[in-house]
Amino acid sequence: MAYITCKNLSVGYEDGVVSEGINFQVKKGDYLCIVGENGAGKSTLMKTLLGLIQPLSGELTLDDITRAEIGYLPQQTVIQKDFPATVEEIVLSGTLTRAGKHIFYTKEDKKLALDNMEKMGITELRRKCYRNLSGGQQQRVLLTRAICATEKLLILDEPVNGLDPKVTAEFYGMVRKLNDSGISIIMVSHDMMAAITYASHILHIGKTQLFFGEKDDYLETCAFKKIGGLGGSDVN
């Protein structure tokens, strides 16, 4: 059973189509990496999957999952990096999307946040102000917040922008562990070669879809050899 199914999907805005003819599925345990040139519509597709914008045409179906059960780590803005809240407050806010949310955080919410902070190795940061953390620590906090919202699917949009290679490798390792635990992953990353190392499936889009399928099959395609096979890291 697929959590997400897209059939002949077109995404874009009022002023026109960004990408069309998109067909893919995301099932339990999948790790999908979305690749394509700048302006190909990767972030637009992410926003469409999340219901932040509507499809221009085609079908987008969710099965055995609701949008409230999807964890989301968006591209971080300068303003977000300077957010004046504690780590614990930010992680706790990830529980807000859960069904039947009360006005105040429950004991279950607080336990979930603490358990996930322990899982992600940030318990010692819980009382610290988020804006005083390093970029890598901030992304670890936001990932922890995202998994408080879901046990099924994480959507990550350019999660390693601005991180150094060591922190980037650590971040990918954390995401891989979450995937190994059964959480499905959809990721867009400018660092294509690193991102697809862990992926099980690849969706390559441009003005139209260029590929969807298993990673090993993608590595044999002309699309990969043209951009990924040349080792470029700015093609995504």
Side-chain angles (χ1 to χ4, degrees):
M1 180 181 296
Y3 286 148
I4 295 177
T5 301
C6 292
K7 295 181 179 180
N8 201 31
L9 191 70
S10 293
V11 299
Y13 302 93
E14 292 182 358
D15 56 352
V17 174
V18 176
S19 185
E20 60 187 347
I22 300 173
N23 296 274
F24 71 94
Q25 289 186 325
V26 177
K27 299 178 181 179
K28 179 177 173 59
D30 284 352
Y31 189 140
L32 175 67
C33 185
I34 302 176
V35 303
E37 296 180 357
N38 290 327
K42 302 182 296 299
S43 293
T44 303
L45 174 58
M46 293 285 211
K47 292 174 184 177
T48 305
L49 298 180
L50 290 163
L52 301 177
I53 59 176
Q54 294 301 307
L56 297 182
S57 64
E59 297 181 23
L60 169 55
T61 305
L62 303 185
D63 200 352
D64 195 34
I65 193 171
T66 66
R67 288 197 169 94
E69 295 176 295
I70 298 174
Y72 178 45
L73 201 168
Q75 296 184 42
Q76 195 174 187
T77 66
V78 173
I79 293 176
Q80 289 170 329
K81 290 180 180 180
D82 199 39
F83 196 70
T86 67
V87 166
E88 186 171 18
E89 288 170 336
I90 288 177
V91 172
L92 262 172
S93 69
T95 67
L96 291 172
T97 61
R98 289 180 173 262
K101 180 64 200 159
H102 297 84
I103 296 175
F104 302 103
Y105 293 119
T106 64
K107 291 182 179 179
E108 290 77 14
D109 294 334
K110 294 176 181 178
K111 183 178 186 304
L112 177 65
L114 288 172
D115 288 347
N116 282 329
M117 284 189 284
E118 180 69 26
K119 179 192 298 184
M120 303 303 289
I122 61 169
T123 304
E124 71 280 3
L125 301 177
R126 58 184 291 198
R127 304 299 187 194
K128 292 186 178 296
C129 184
Y130 174 79
R131 65 184 176 189
N132 294 333
L133 303 180
S134 68
Q137 289 172 329
Q138 287 186 341
Q139 284 302 82
R140 190 181 288 247
V141 170
L142 294 179
L143 183 59
T144 307
R145 177 186 184 276
I147 64 174
C148 281
T150 188
E151 296 176 350
K152 295 182 176 182
L153 174 64
L154 274 174
I155 292 182
L156 312 172
D157 191 358
E158 302 281 12
V160 297
N161 274 0
L163 303 183
D164 65 46
K166 182 178 183 295
V167 175
T168 293
E170 291 174 351
F171 185 88
Y172 283 134
M174 289 186 292
V175 174
R176 176 60 181 269
K177 288 180 180 179
L178 292 172
N179 183 236
D180 288 343
S181 74
I183 296 177
S184 299
I185 305 293
I186 301 177
M187 180 186 288
V188 167
S189 174
H190 72 284
D191 187 0
M192 188 183 78
M193 296 304 295
I196 69 173
T197 298
Y198 301 106
S200 62
H201 293 75
I202 304 295
L203 173 64
H204 187 158
I205 62 174
K207 293 297 183 182
T208 60
Q209 180 171 308
L210 301 176
F211 179 87
F212 171 68
E214 294 185 1
K215 177 180 66 177
D216 289 345
D217 293 332
Y218 177 66
L219 298 181
E220 299 300 319
T221 65
C222 292
F224 170 72
K225 293 174 181 177
K226 180 179 179 182
I227 61 170
L230 296 177
S233 62
D234 62 347
V235 295
N236 196 27

